[in-house]
């Protein structure tokens, strides 16, 4: 897709007077892309949260069912580096509608599939289709929005990392516990898909396919990159369950994935028409900023994964009972994301300080969560989740502004592919890191508690039965390990602040030309 992929009026925006307003149709198309991206995020997270219900309906064991989330995550990761290239080649309108249509048709069909192999294949295909939708939101924001509203587009993109994961808890509980119809776990995206498709079809222009681009693409790199990213996703998502290097599958996937990924990145570096342009990572705000993004996504597991793990396993909460915890973070994003964007337009604001303040709020939330005990229920998480609600948009929107402000509009497709690949990788890595940390610290605390129980058993008037003792020890070990994970993520958030301050200062968009700072 050329620089005039939106209507000519939109393409001419940079040359127009600053007061010129974008026409309605491109803005409607962008809104459709945003809704599709949110739909993709919800489809991923709700499916993972409702896995226990799916297991019960389909009669699947824990090991078999775990692959449903793995194949979906692998599909998303595979699609993200290549989505922008296909959108440009086929036209954003055509490609977006195809992918929305594929997601919708698969969502309608999935509840009627009970064969595990077929279910895994279809869920993987849906993951690929969904994985193309989120990068297109960032590409459109970077490439087509004029400076005086571009930050609001980035704030919309940030909501795919802050709003969707936390709203998913409520949705998963609503479908399974209130409607008592598990099929809505898949069907929930259909109304959003229809709305998104209508806006995209009306708002974006019809453009011809650029067939010449097919002969220029790095197909060798893609041939290596697709299996490489899929294998990396398998390692990260199944590593904790299969005990990492003690599993032949994990070892083989890791070795093959690293080798193929190295070939893919090497070909991308030297190819004249790459899918992602690795050279742009040499700019400090991009290279360091994207590294911070991956680490930030690990830290953000503290607002969704840790409370959900504790409440489900210790207090036996269902998703609907956990929903208020997620909504405390999700709903404020509808207001706070645009407010942070508005703040970053002020001349006296340094985005690095806003980013740092957001990290410190997230760190405070983690340290508040580190006071966890086995008596905690949903109410005790309110303070920590409130801090998360304010800290997350400050960190994510500021990071996107600092990183993408050194990007030219024509580089938007390269950046969107890179940042979304790292975003998907960071989410998988965050879940793996937190899962492994909780597992390792849980074993340590269990051993210590059992040793202590053995020392004091003879002094107790009535020692508990072995099964009762193991249940008590297991619960307390989980509580202590989740508290440890909160502490580690809080410390990591604090350690990121000096790195944030190493980023180049970027002036507000209205007074700054992106090309002047690299």
């Amino acid at each position: 897709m050329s620089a005039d992929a939106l209507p000519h009026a939109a393409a001419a925006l940079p040359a127009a007077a600053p007061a010129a307003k974008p026409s309605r149709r491109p803005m409607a198309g962008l809104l459709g892309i945003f809704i599709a991206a949110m739909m993709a995020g919800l489809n991923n997270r709700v499916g993972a949260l409702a896995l226990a219900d799916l297991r019960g309906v389909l009669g699947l064991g824990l090991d078999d069912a775990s692959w449903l989330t793995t194949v979906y995550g692998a599909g998303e990761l595979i699609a993200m580096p290549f989505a922008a290239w296909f959108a440009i080649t086929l036209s954003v309108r055509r490609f977006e509608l195809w992918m929305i249509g594929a997601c919708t048709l698969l969502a309608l069909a999935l509840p009627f599939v009970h064969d595990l192999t077929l279910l895994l294949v279809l869920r993987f295909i849906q993951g690929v289709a969904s994985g193309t939708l989120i990068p297109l939101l960032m590409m459109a924001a970077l490439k087509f929005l004029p400076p005086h509203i571009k930050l609001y587009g980035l704030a919309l993109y940030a909501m795919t990392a802050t709003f969707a994961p936390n709203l998913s808890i409520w949705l998963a509980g609503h479908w399974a516990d209130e409607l008592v119809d598990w099929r809505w776990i898949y069907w929930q995206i259909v109304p959003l898909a229809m709305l998104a498709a209508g806006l995209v079809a009306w708002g974006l222009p019809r453009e011809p396919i650029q067939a010449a681009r097919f002969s220029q693409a790095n197909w060798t790199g893609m041939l290596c990159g697709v299996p490489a990213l899929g294998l990396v996703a398998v390692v990260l998502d199944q590593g904790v369950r299969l005990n990492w290097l003690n599993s032949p599958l994990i070892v083989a996937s890791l070795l093959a994935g690293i080798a193929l990924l190295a070939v893919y990145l090497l070909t991308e570096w030297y190819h004249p028409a790459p899918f992602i342009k690795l050279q742009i990572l040499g700019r400090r705000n991009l290279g360091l900023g994207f590294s911070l993004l991956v680490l930030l996504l690990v830290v953000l597991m503290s607002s969704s994964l840790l409370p959900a793990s504790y409440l489900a396993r210790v207090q036996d909460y269902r998703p609907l009972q956990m929903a208020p915890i997620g909504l405390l973070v999700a709903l404020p994003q509808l207001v706070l994301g645009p407010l942070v964007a508005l703040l970053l337009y002020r001349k006296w604001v340094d985005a690095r300080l806003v980013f740092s303040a957001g990290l410190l709020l997230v760190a405070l939330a983690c340290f508040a969560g580190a006071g966890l005990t086995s008596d905690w229920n949903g109410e005790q998480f309110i303070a920590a989740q409130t801090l998360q609600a304010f800290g997350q948009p400050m960190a994510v929107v500021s990071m996107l502004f600092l990183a993408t402000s050194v990007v030219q509009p024509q580089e938007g497709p390269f950046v969107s592919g890179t940042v979304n690949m790292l975003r998907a990788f960071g989410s998988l890595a965050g879940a793996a890191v937190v899962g492994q940390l909780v597992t390792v610290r849980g074993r340590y605390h269990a051993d210590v508690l059992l040793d202590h129980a053995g020392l004091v058993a003879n002094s107790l008037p009535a020692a508990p039965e072995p099964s009762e003792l193991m249940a008590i020890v297991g619960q307390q070990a989980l509580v202590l390990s989740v508290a440890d994970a909160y502490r580690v993520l809080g410390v990591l958030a604090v350690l990121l602040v000096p790195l944030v301050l190493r980023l180049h200062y970027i002036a507000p968009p209205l007074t700054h030309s992106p090309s002047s700072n690299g």
Side-chain angles (χ1 to χ4, degrees), residues 173-235:
H174 186 69
W175 306 138
D177 294 340
E178 284 201 338
L179 291 183
V180 196
D181 190 340
W182 67 273
R183 292 174 296 181
W184 280 98
I185 295 167
Y186 294 121
W187 291 348
Q188 64 172 344
I189 69 169
V190 175
L192 290 175
M194 294 175 64
L195 177 59
L199 290 169
V200 168
W202 182 75
L204 299 185
R206 298 175 183 270
E207 293 183 313
I209 296 175
Q210 300 185 38
R213 287 172 57 86
F214 284 103
S215 62
Q216 303 167 0
N218 180 18
W219 297 115
T220 301
M222 187 176 183
L223 188 64
C224 295
V226 166
L229 295 171
L231 291 169
V232 168
V234 168
V235 170

Side-chain angles (χ1 to χ4, degrees), residues 302-312 314-315 317 322 324-326 328-329 365-366 368-373 375-389 479 482-483 486:
S302 59
S303 73
S304 55
L305 183 59
L306 288 182
S309 297
Y310 166 82
L311 291 171
V314 176
Q315 303 295 354
Y317 272 36
M322 291 186 282
I325 301 302
L328 273 173
V329 179
C366 292
L372 182 71
T373 70
D375 295 326
W376 277 35
N377 53 41
E379 294 180 359
Q380 279 68 47
F381 286 95
I382 290 177
Q385 295 297 91
T386 302
L387 290 169
Q388 293 274 3
V479 171
V482 171
Y486 268 120

Side-chain angles (χ1 to χ4, degrees), residues 136-154:
L136 297 188
L137 175 59
M138 170 167 276
M139 185 188 81
L142 293 178
K143 192 172 176 65
F144 304 124
L145 292 182
H148 64 281
I149 61 172
K150 183 170 70 173
L151 270 178
Y152 297 108
L154 293 177

Side-chain angles (χ1 to χ4, degrees), residues 357-370 383-384 387-388 486 490-491 493-494:
L359 284 172
L360 292 176
L361 287 176
V362 173
L364 285 175
C366 292
F367 295 139
L387 290 169
Q388 293 274 3
Y486 268 120
V491 170
V494 173

